Amino acid sequence: MPSMVELASSSQDGREESKGEQFDLVDLTAKNLSLPSETLLRAAVTLKDQVVQLSWKEGLGSGSGSGKSLDPSVYSGVLGTAFSCLRAYEATGNQQDLTLCAEIVDTCAEAARGSTRHVTFLCGRGGIYALGAVVANYMGNQQRRDLYLNLFLEVAQERALPVGPEEGGFGMSYDLLYGRSGFLWGALFISKYIGENKLPSDLLTSIVDAVLAGGRAGASDKTSCPLMYRWHGTRYWGAANGLAGILHVLLHFPLSEENAEDVKGTLRYMMSNRFPHSGNYPSSEGNPRDKLVQWSHGATGMAITLCKASQVFPNDREFRDAAIEAGEVVWKNGLVKKVGLADGVAGNAYAFLSLYRLTGESVYEERAKAFASFLYHNARKLVNMGNTRGAADHAITCSLFQGLAGTVCLWFDLLAPERSRFPGYEL
């Protein structure tokens, strides 16, 4: 395995990449299909340690003093390193990973003090406080846990998240990265690890209602889609800023019959408007460009969302079938030119893990392992294909959604694929 320290000496830009036609799927299945669990574990621990070294110990973390230049987000910042440490702790039980995770969270909380820009799990203070509460709970520190829970609740009060358009309050956006769905995901994360009774259900229900109301208000009379949202004027379909991500969050909450029908109708609208030849999904409403197969845009995020829909609506076989079809698109086109969760091979591998948990069919576990093996052998090539910004840009290279920390989580998850979850998206 090539040195990941060498890998981190170069970085990737943030532009959308096309499908990676140059990588041979036949060669992948023939030569790189299986890695022993011991090899995966060793690789995951080694890469996690090097991500920590570059993004935290040598980066803008504990050695930075004030932490003013710190990116404290899960998505692109050092909080993603903390998330990978938590995943490492869950896989290995190493207490040092949990302690380090808590240290990073505390530093991020200090760096984000006074910021009101974003409140979501992936890109805002919601992620800091949710992760802080969960880590404190793991450590048995009830006082610290309650402190972070209260900070999380204060975020909702600051931004009036429950105020929907019917009350004249469009306010912030509705998407997963920067909007109300992203805050709701943080609440779901807390509920999973600490208990559903730790957050007031009426607050969360009112935010869910505001998201649904916003989708109805944004739906065009010219389409048969019940829910539609705009982010910076564009009707995105993907998981990061669009329909797939918003619907995925809504599917985790109890829905009335009317609300459930609107969610199902929106999914059906998307399914009926796939690209007819490839089966891929547009990145936005009316966009004819069939080029992106990744979590942020295209079939990957939709496969995962459709898996969840199939679980919530088991009598609607069409969602299961569409999830499988989206998985085939990822299998044929998913060896893209980046490594991260947002738009890279690691993120695409999680579509297969979702399908494995949904269907129980071993072919999907094998495909996820094939993509993971491809990363094991080719990650250095993928990183070097991106624009080099120099060693100073370790934060992006090591980040959870744009860099190597996502690969860390994938390798740990493959040790127990039945318990795998896409970081920051699945629960």
Side-chain angles (χ1 to χ4, degrees):
M1 179 180 179
S3 167
M4 291 301 173
V5 174
E6 287 184 45
L7 277 177
S9 66
S10 44
S11 180
Q12 306 163 9
D13 63 18
R15 297 174 298 176
E16 296 175 348
E17 292 288 346
S18 62
K19 293 177 272 190
E21 302 90 350
Q22 73 182 84
F23 300 120
D24 191 337
L25 197 62
V26 175
D27 183 67
L28 170 67
T29 55
K31 297 181 180 179
N32 295 336
L33 178 59
S34 180
L35 286 174
S37 295
E38 297 80 5
T39 302
L40 266 179
L41 175 59
R42 186 167 58 251
V45 170
T46 298
L47 182 54
K48 180 267 300 177
D49 289 342
Q50 293 176 352
V51 165
V52 168
Q53 181 68 30
L54 289 165
S55 66
W56 176 245
K57 294 181 179 179
E58 295 180 9
L60 297 173
S62 57
S64 66
S66 65
K68 291 182 179 179
S69 300
L70 186 70
D71 176 355
S73 75
V74 172
Y75 186 87
S76 59
V78 73
L79 198 63
T81 300
F83 193 100
S84 66
C85 289
L86 177 62
R87 191 60 58 91
Y89 167 74
E90 292 174 329
T92 68
N94 187 333
Q95 193 71 27
Q96 291 181 348
D97 288 323
L98 192 62
T99 301
L100 179 58
C101 182
E103 180 185 346
I104 297 173
V105 169
D106 289 345
T107 300
C108 288
E110 180 66 25
R113 179 180 294 181
S115 169
T116 58
R117 185 180 181 190
H118 298 309
V119 301
T120 61
F121 183 86
L122 291 179
C123 293
R125 285 177 298 141
I128 300 172
Y129 303 148
L131 192 57
V134 167
V135 173
N137 192 63
Y138 263 128
M139 300 178 80
N141 189 334
Q142 182 176 342
Q143 182 179 5
R144 198 71 175 164
R145 180 200 68 188
D146 292 344
L147 169 65
Y148 276 119
L149 284 175
N150 289 332
L151 288 170
F152 184 83
L153 290 173
E154 287 177 9
V155 167
Q157 297 166 2
E158 288 174 12
R159 299 297 294 270
L161 300 183
V163 181
E166 74 284 358
E167 302 170 273
F170 279 92
M172 68 183 299
S173 64
Y174 298 92
D175 62 303
L176 186 71
L177 281 192
Y178 304 114
R180 301 179 207 215
S181 295
F183 177 83
L184 286 172
W185 199 92
L188 290 167
F189 182 75
I190 289 172
S191 297
K192 174 186 175 180
Y193 281 94
I194 303 179
E196 295 183 1
N197 62 336
K198 294 301 179 182
L199 298 173
S201 59
D202 56 341
L203 169 65
L204 301 183
T205 300
S206 63
I207 299 174
V208 169
D209 289 342
V211 173
L212 287 162
R216 294 185 181 112
S220 170
D221 294 337
K222 297 179 181 179
T223 73
S224 57
C225 189
L227 304 173
M228 187 62 73
Y229 304 85
R230 288 179 176 85
W231 188 75
H232 288 270
T234 300
R235 296 176 175 183
Y236 286 105
W237 280 31
N241 297 115
L243 282 170
I246 297 168
L247 296 176
H248 191 261
V249 171
L250 290 175
L251 286 165
H252 286 80
F253 289 91
L255 298 172
S256 68
E257 183 177 351
E258 178 186 4
N259 292 337
E261 287 303 315
D262 279 351
V263 168
K264 289 196 284 186
T266 303
L267 287 169
R268 289 173 180 140
Y269 174 84
M270 299 173 75
M271 290 156 52
S272 65
N273 285 278
R274 287 173 284 183
F275 291 113
H277 299 295
S278 69
N280 192 28
Y281 288 78
S283 61
S284 60
E285 180 75 9
N287 192 330
R289 183 172 179 250
D290 181 9
K291 205 171 183 181
L292 302 175
V293 178
Q294 55 194 46
W295 174 80
S296 296
H297 304 285
T300 303
M302 276 301 294
I304 297 171
T305 294
L306 287 165
C307 283
K308 181 63 180 177
S310 180
Q311 294 166 351
V312 174
F313 309 119
N315 294 328
D316 294 284
R317 178 78 186 196
E318 60 192 308
F319 299 129
R320 179 187 175 96
D321 292 343
I324 291 171
E325 290 166 8
E328 291 303 310
V329 176
V330 179
W331 178 240
K332 293 174 183 177
N333 301 286
L335 290 178
V336 292
K337 300 177 182 179
K338 292 185 180 181
V339 300
L341 294 176
D343 49 12
V345 178
N348 286 344
Y350 273 101
F352 305 130
L353 290 175
S354 294
L355 285 163
Y356 171 69
R357 297 195 315 273
L358 176 68
T359 67
E361 295 180 9
S362 61
V363 62
Y364 297 115
E365 180 185 6
E366 292 168 0
R367 287 180 175 185
K369 288 181 176 179
F371 272 38
S373 179
F374 177 82
L375 283 171
Y376 182 91
H377 293 287
N378 295 283
R380 181 180 182 180
K381 179 192 302 182
L382 291 175
V383 171
N384 287 334
M385 284 171 65
N387 283 357
T388 302
R389 298 177 183 173
D393 198 27
H394 291 329
I396 295 297
T397 304
C398 296
S399 70
L400 187 63
F401 271 72
Q402 295 178 304
L404 294 166
T407 298
V408 171
C409 292
L410 173 65
W411 288 348
F412 277 127
D413 271 340
L414 278 168
L415 299 174
E418 68 281 357
R419 297 198 301 269
S420 64
R421 296 294 185 272
F422 191 115
Y425 198 57
E426 294 182 293
L427 291 153

